[in-house]
Amino acid sequence: MIAAEAMQSVQFVTVKGRRFAVLDAEDWEALVEWMEDLEDTQIARTAFADLNAAGGDRRRAGWLAWDEVEKELA
């Protein structure tokens, strides 16, 4: 299910004067996944913009070499 469909499936209830949105758990999970994908896309766009601004030089763009990352993870 895409985010727009999940948003259309929301139901509203009022309890003690407060309005709440109610979603099916699967719809909620789809929304969370969609938001995570948006965040990942923005991170990638920023990283590639930095790389482009650095003339394709990964070090100047602040990217780490895989060997450096691998050592930190070990």
Side-chain angles (χ1 to χ4, degrees), residues 11-32:
Q11 295 180 11
F12 296 95
V13 296
T14 302
V15 178
K16 297 182 181 178
R18 293 191 62 197
R19 192 168 182 220
F20 295 92
V22 179
L23 286 173
D24 179 272
E26 289 178 7
D27 292 346
W28 173 256
E29 290 168 354
L31 278 174
V32 170

Side-chain angles (χ1 to χ4, degrees), residues 28-38:
W28 173 256
E29 290 168 354
L31 278 174
V32 170
E33 185 175 330
W34 175 73
M35 290 186 330
E36 289 172 345
D37 289 347
L38 281 178

Side-chain angles (χ1 to χ4, degrees), residues 2 4 16-17 21-23 35 41-43 52 61 74:
I2 61 173
K16 297 182 181 178
V22 179
L23 286 173
M35 290 186 330
T41 300
Q42 185 56 46
I43 290 168
N52 189 39

